[in-house]
Amino acid sequence: MNTTSITLAVPEPAARILTTLAAAWDGVSAWIAQHRVWVIAVAVLAALAVTAVARLRRSARRRWHEGARLVAVLPPAGLDPAAALAGARRLWWDLPGLAPPRWKRLVAGLPHLTVEYHLSAGEDLALCMWLPAPLPTSRIDAALRAAWPGTLVLDRTDRNTSRNPAATEPAPRTRLVVTGGTVRPERPEHLPLRVPDPRDDAADPLRALEAVAGQLADGESAVVQILARPAVGRRLRRYRRTVDRLHSGRPGRRSAVAGSVSVLVRELLEIVTGSKSTAATHDAGDRPVRRLDPQQTEELREIRAKKLQPQWEVGLRYYAATTATGPDAVARVRGLADSLFGAFALLAGRNALARHRLAKPRAAVEARRMRRGALLSAAELAALAHLPARTDALSSGQARSVPAPIDATRRL
């Protein structure tokens, strides 16, 4: 019986690469076998160090929540939408200095603060801030008063729940029908959202939230939660490198690892095929002049404007709940949740916010834990988190015989 052997012809450059890789692997295996004790000791020490850092971070986060404070922020009377948004920009430009030094972030992590809008039937839109233990309340209080003169900050950590404006939902033991989700940008983070003009009060997302609050019936409640912490370290450096690459005409890459893998694959293909890439065949002085259309130029200008601002890592969650039961209750809370998400559709521009599924939204909002958020500038965060406007007609507490202004959605 004749057998036919088939041999595959491997190009000489590829064969040299395979031989080199095999020799390198044999050398590494021999070195590990020779220094086995040291390798095991280093691996054990590395595992112990990682475990110690993880435990330190868990204990630090536990102390954050145990010593956290909940403050209610009451806007001053006569706060117009332009002043509300301008004050928010000042606030989020001022607070990035709260970030701890690098060594402390490595051991304990980076704390985040939380801005919450609580909606309930028959009540005004209530704004509360949750401050973990490392953030000084006096520093936040001073920043709030500097952003909006006349703002009243009340500590509501240990007071009676019945008087707490944040406690706008039924007791935890009450069975609720809950629907909610989380919101993240649908495009790369270097593309900015549309920041509304402070003079255009119709583009304020909080107007839509106040409209939802006016539609709530007895037993219904809703919460919109914004978690924010300063963007520092490696995340911020990678974002800035991406923006610099876009302005130099090169495509933005997600990470240095992906770029290294791309370069390695391109070099291997050049060795195997014997051809050179287009970039290598042209000198630096022979590159054609890159011409951009007006739309791309405007996009790069907005990207650069976002880079020049302080950056925040932001998470956005929401949920709507009702004590009613049945199919009608499910449809009702779904409609309320859609209205909550629609309040932020006004910020769609170069980038837009897209909602995603969130398991147990009420428990996630109450836990106030943040893992990884979207990278937003101070102006974008100001459009999301600012004080609701309060006109003189509404803050005076007097009944009027004329209809309320069009920009006033607070219940009389």
Side-chain angles (χ1 to χ4, degrees):
M1 183 177 182
N2 296 330
T3 59
T4 303
S5 61
I6 301 176
T7 59
L8 297 177
V10 180
E12 184 177 354
R16 287 200 302 266
I17 293 176
L18 294 176
T19 303
T20 303
L21 292 177
W25 175 255
D26 293 339
V28 170
S29 301
W31 186 88
I32 292 176
Q34 185 178 0
H35 303 84
R36 186 178 306 168
V37 177
W38 288 104
V39 171
I40 295 176
V42 170
V44 171
L45 291 176
L48 291 177
V50 172
T51 304
V53 171
R55 289 186 176 181
L56 287 174
R57 290 196 172 189
R58 283 197 298 268
S59 63
R61 293 190 178 96
R62 185 167 56 251
R63 291 193 299 270
W64 294 354
H65 287 262
E66 291 175 355
R69 284 90 61 200
L70 182 66
V71 297
V73 184
L74 304 181
L79 181 64
D80 58 275
L85 190 55
R89 291 183 178 180
R90 176 190 173 93
L91 176 69
W92 299 116
W93 271 78
D94 184 21
L95 292 183
L98 296 174
R102 184 176 181 180
W103 67 268
K104 188 174 291 187
R105 298 198 305 267
L106 180 63
V107 174
L110 184 61
H112 65 274
L113 57 85
T114 301
V115 178
E116 298 177 354
Y117 297 101
H118 294 261
L119 297 77
S120 61
E123 298 291 340
D124 297 331
L125 181 66
L127 187 147
C128 296
M129 293 187 69
W130 179 84
L131 308 176
L135 298 183
T137 308
S138 58
R139 175 72 173 85
I140 303 297
D141 190 1
L144 289 171
R145 296 180 188 275
W148 299 285
T151 300
L152 185 60
V153 181
L154 303 177
D155 191 354
R156 303 302 192 190
T157 304
D158 297 325
R159 65 178 183 153
N160 193 343
T161 306
S162 61
R163 297 178 56 193
N164 187 352
T168 58
E169 56 190 8
R173 296 182 180 180
T174 305
R175 185 176 180 83
L176 299 175
V177 178
V178 182
T179 298
T182 183
V183 178
R184 293 190 294 268
E186 63 180 12
R187 300 188 64 189
E189 60 188 11
H190 62 266
L191 294 173
L193 298 172
R194 186 180 73 89
V195 178
D197 189 350
R199 297 168 296 181
D200 185 11
D201 57 344
D204 187 3
L206 296 192
R207 285 193 56 186
L209 293 184
E210 291 181 333
V212 174
Q215 299 173 359
L216 295 179
D218 293 338
E220 297 177 347
S221 62
V223 176
V224 175
Q225 184 184 79
I226 301 170
L227 307 97
R229 62 188 174 197
V232 293
R234 183 171 51 188
R235 176 88 181 269
L236 184 60
R237 292 193 297 270
R238 184 167 63 247
Y239 161 74
R240 289 175 175 172
R241 285 197 302 266
T242 301
V243 175
D244 293 339
R245 291 183 61 87
L246 290 173
H247 280 277
S248 62
R250 295 174 293 175
R253 288 173 178 166
R254 298 181 59 183
S255 64
V257 176
S260 302
V261 172
S262 177
V263 172
L264 179 60
V265 171
R266 185 171 62 250
E267 295 294 336
L268 290 176
L269 290 176
E270 291 178 2
I271 293 175
V272 173
T273 60
S275 61
K276 294 185 178 181
S277 62
T278 306
T281 57
H282 295 281
D283 296 331
D286 297 337
R287 292 180 180 177
V289 178
R290 187 170 61 98
R291 299 180 179 178
L292 302 178
D293 56 22
Q295 183 177 0
Q296 190 174 3
T297 303
E298 180 67 16
E299 180 177 301
L300 291 176
R301 186 189 64 80
E302 295 180 8
I303 293 174
R304 182 172 60 252
K306 177 179 178 179
K307 176 192 172 184
L308 298 178
Q309 301 181 34
Q311 303 297 319
W312 288 82
E313 195 173 353
V314 181
L316 179 58
R317 303 165 183 165
Y318 65 93
Y319 77 85
T322 180
T323 56
T325 57
D328 295 338
V330 175
R332 173 66 176 172
V333 294
R334 285 181 179 176
L336 293 175
D338 292 341
S339 300
L340 294 177
F341 171 75
F344 302 100
L346 298 172
L347 304 180
R350 303 290 179 184
N351 207 338
L353 296 175
R355 57 181 174 180
H356 299 268
R357 183 182 179 86
L358 181 63
K360 299 180 179 180
R362 187 186 179 210
V365 168
E366 292 177 350
R368 298 186 178 97
R369 298 186 182 276
M370 182 178 183
R371 293 185 178 180
R372 181 181 176 88
L375 206 62
L376 300 181
S377 65
E380 292 172 318
L381 181 56
L384 291 173
H386 58 273
L387 290 183
R390 289 293 180 257
T391 61
D392 294 334
L394 292 174
S395 60
S396 62
Q398 300 177 358
R400 301 300 178 106
S401 59
V402 297
I406 190 172
D407 61 335
T409 56
R410 177 181 171 187
R411 277 190 157 187
L412 294 176

